[in-house]
Each structure stands twice: as C-alpha cells, then as structure tokens.
Amino acid sequence: MKGLIIKSTGSWYQVKDSDTSIVYEARIRGKFKLLKNRLTNPLSVGDYVEFQLEIDDVAWITKIEPRRNYLIRKSVNLSREAHIIASNIDIACALFTLKYPETSLGFLDRFLACCEAYDIKPIILFNKVDLLTDAEKEIVTEIEADYQKIGYETLAISAFSKFNLEILQQKIKDKVSVFFGHSGAGKSTLVNALQNDLHIKTNEISASQLKGKHTTTFAQMHFWDFGGSVIDTPGVREFAMIDVLREEIQHYFPEIFKKSDECKFYNCLHINEPKCAVLNATENGEILVSRYITYLKLMEEADEMEKK
C-alpha cells in the first residue's frame, strides 16, 4: 500500500492511504530506522511511503519514496546534525514579523538560502502589519522593496484582520505549502484565518519578552477546502544546510552569484580577494550588507563542517 505522511510526532506517524484517503496510525520497522543518516528523524510530513497493515489496523511503514525536496533545521539534539521539517514542498512561506516577535533579517536570509539550496519556491509574508505604526509600515515597505529587487515574491498580510488573505489563497491554491517562522509569528493563526474550521491551537505572545510560546509541537499537514494543503510546523530558530560546500553557498544568494561574474578570479569566494565585484557591490549598496553578513556566516559554518 502507498500513502502520504500527514503527521509526525517523532515515534508515531499518520499516513493517508493514496487510494482510499483513510488515515492510519503508523510506525516504522526497526530495520528502516537504520537508514537515517545524520538526521534525527527518518521520516517527515510530506513524505510518500509504502506501508503494510497489521490485524489491529496499525500501519507499518516499510519504504520511503525519493524526496523531491525538503527543508531542514539544525537539531537541538547534539548527537545528530539536522532535522527535516517537511518534504516535497511546492511553496515555502516565511512569516516575517517586525515585532511581536521580532524576526531578524539573518533568519530570513537563511530561510531563503535553504529554499534556493533545495529548490523550493519561497514567498515572504510580512505578517501582523495591522499592529504597526505608520513609521514601522514604511520600514516593512523598504524591506519588501529590497527583497523584491533581488527577485523574491513578497506579500504584506494580517492573519488577524485578514488583510490580503484572498491574494495569499490564490498563491497557494492547489499547492503543497509550508509555513515557517519563529514561535509567535502567527503560523497557526494564519492557517485558522485561511480556513476557520481547522481550529488549530494558538497562544498569546509573552508580554514580558515579546516572544512567542510553542503551540505547535509537531508538524502536521492540513488540507484546504480551496485546494491544496499546508504543513504547519513548530517555531524554528535556525535553518541549516547540510552537505553543502563553501564554494556552493554563493549559488544560494542570487544577487551575489550574479555579481560574481564580474570578479577578477573565477573561483572568488568574495571574502578578501582583490578586485572582487561582490565586495565592491556591498560597499556601494548594490548588495545588502545584512545579506552579505549572512553569507559570510554560512561560509564559516560550512568551513567548520568540512573540517569535522
């Protein structure tokens, strides 16, 4: 039998049968567990699998189909390197909040780099714009313009007031989408606003720290009445790229990769090389300094991984 993983709690999964749409509680066979390599989870929501049914209607997953793509984060478990959040994604939506809680540009840039690395279309959603002052809205407009210039699709929204949600529906209709962001950025609230019969649990922002509390503790796929599905995920602090070489990282920053054609040396890494077009472009404002800083940090991390 074949099916789709629609929920993962770590030890148990829910698999939706491809033929009947019946959802079964599922586990993985012991031998299958041995296949995981440098990951905390062998399966993720969005995976297509083969499974067998036992007498008690418990499904035993026996095989995973090759993934088209996936998004990954650094694992909190130091004995492993990374955790796959979701796989086989059409659109990844980053929820950026200027406040309540504050999203850093570094976090956003890591998200975009991961999307580039794993061939996933990103959309930047500037959420909670209803809470912003006029001056703060101007800041969001400037950030939007910066990222649109690079080539990224953006949309200012409010899950609370439902501002621009009809436009978002059209963008994710009939697609497998995934919502990412910090705890408190409004992922679950946005899912509820797009389809109010899902009743996903949400939580308030911590008044003392202006940070979100984890309400979604595991990844789960929900199906839209208007077509397609969304994978709701726990709040993410960091994104990771595994098995990526230092010289490849510039490929995941479109404006840096484009400018690299003008560098004197074909193998320029844009760190301190002479006549580097990327360094010049960063100095004169063509490339955002914040983006370049994230690029350097990813280069450092890749160098550390290669040494290990």
Side-chain angles (χ1 to χ4, degrees):
M1 302 172 71
K2 294 187 177 184
L4 171 67
I5 301 293
I6 62 170
K7 184 177 180 179
S8 168
T9 62
S11 56
W12 281 89
Y13 303 88
Q14 285 186 351
V15 57
K16 183 179 181 182
D17 187 283
S18 298
D19 294 325
T20 65
S21 294
I22 295 174
V23 176
Y24 297 99
E25 296 294 322
R27 303 199 76 168
I28 54 179
R29 291 290 189 191
K31 290 183 179 179
F32 187 85
K33 292 181 182 180
L34 299 178
L35 296 177
K36 64 180 179 179
N37 181 31
R38 302 171 66 183
L39 297 170
T40 59
N41 58 326
L43 290 172
S44 68
V45 174
D47 279 335
Y48 289 94
V49 298
E50 292 183 7
F51 65 97
Q52 298 173 344
L53 277 183
E54 300 293 340
I55 298 175
D56 56 1
D57 274 351
V58 172
W60 288 94
I61 298 165
T62 57
K63 181 182 178 183
I64 178 174
E65 300 293 337
R67 294 180 175 115
R68 175 164 54 93
N69 58 36
Y70 53 86
L71 271 176
I72 199 165
R73 67 167 171 82
K74 286 185 177 179
S75 175
V76 295
N77 181 352
L78 298 179
S79 65
R80 293 283 187 260
E81 288 186 0
H83 179 93
I84 295 180
I85 307 170
S87 58
N88 300 313
I89 306 157
D90 295 317
I91 297 174
C93 299
L95 271 70
F96 183 99
T97 45
L98 194 66
K99 61 182 184 181
Y100 310 129
E102 180 183 352
T103 304
S104 71
L105 291 175
F107 176 85
L108 176 60
D109 291 333
R110 283 176 178 268
F111 164 83
L112 295 172
C114 281
C115 288
E116 297 283 353
Y118 300 114
D119 195 25
I120 301 169
K121 174 184 171 61
I123 297 178
I124 307 169
L125 301 178
F126 292 88
N127 194 23
K128 302 189 181 183
V129 293
D130 57 304
L131 300 179
L132 303 181
T133 64
D134 289 342
E136 289 168 337
K137 288 177 181 178
E138 288 184 14
I139 294 174
V140 167
T141 300
E142 290 172 3
I143 297 173
E144 273 199 276
D146 286 336
Y147 283 86
Q148 288 172 356
K149 185 178 178 181
I150 296 169
Y152 291 114
E153 190 171 348
T154 71
L155 183 66
I157 64 166
S158 168
F160 181 76
S161 69
K162 298 192 176 182
F163 174 65
N164 276 345
L165 293 199
E166 289 186 4
I167 296 174
L168 178 58
Q169 277 187 343
Q170 291 304 310
K171 291 181 182 295
I172 62 177
K173 182 180 179 181
D174 299 328
K175 306 288 186 182
V176 177
S177 56
V178 62
F179 292 169
F180 286 110
H182 292 311
S183 298
K187 299 180 297 298
S188 297
T189 301
L190 179 57
V191 174
N192 286 335
L194 288 165
Q195 187 166 312
N196 59 20
D197 62 351
L198 293 175
H199 305 301
I200 297 172
K201 183 180 178 183
T202 61
N203 213 333
E204 297 296 324
I205 291 289
S206 168
S208 60
Q209 296 182 339
L210 297 180
K211 293 181 179 179
K213 301 174 183 178
H214 287 285
T215 49
T216 302
T217 56
F218 48 78
Q220 183 169 3
M221 181 178 286
H222 304 280
F223 295 89
W224 302 123
D225 288 343
F226 55 83
S229 61
V230 62
I231 302 174
D232 189 26
T233 64
V236 178
R237 289 187 178 87
E238 283 192 83
F239 287 96
M241 290 185 288
I242 60 173
D243 299 326
V244 173
L245 299 177
R246 290 176 77 233
E247 55 268 25
E248 294 177 351
I249 291 176
Q250 62 181 296
H251 295 216
Y252 310 136
F253 289 76
E255 72 279 33
I256 290 177
F257 187 60
K258 181 179 180 181
K259 204 67 181 176
S260 66
D261 287 342
E262 301 174 23
C263 292
K264 179 179 180 180
F265 301 103
Y266 75 94
N267 59 348
C268 183
L269 294 178
H270 325 302
I271 299 174
N272 52 16
E273 296 87 345
K275 296 185 179 180
C276 172
V278 171
L279 285 171
N280 290 337
T282 304
E283 289 173 1
N284 64 30
E286 290 180 59
I287 292 175
L288 295 174
V289 172
S290 56
R291 296 264 300 163
Y292 179 70
I293 290 173
T294 302
Y295 166 76
L296 290 181
K297 288 180 179 178
L298 291 175
M299 292 284 283
E300 290 174 6
E301 292 170 14
D303 188 42
E304 291 173 5
M305 291 300 301
E306 288 175 23
K307 289 177 180 178
K308 289 179 181 180

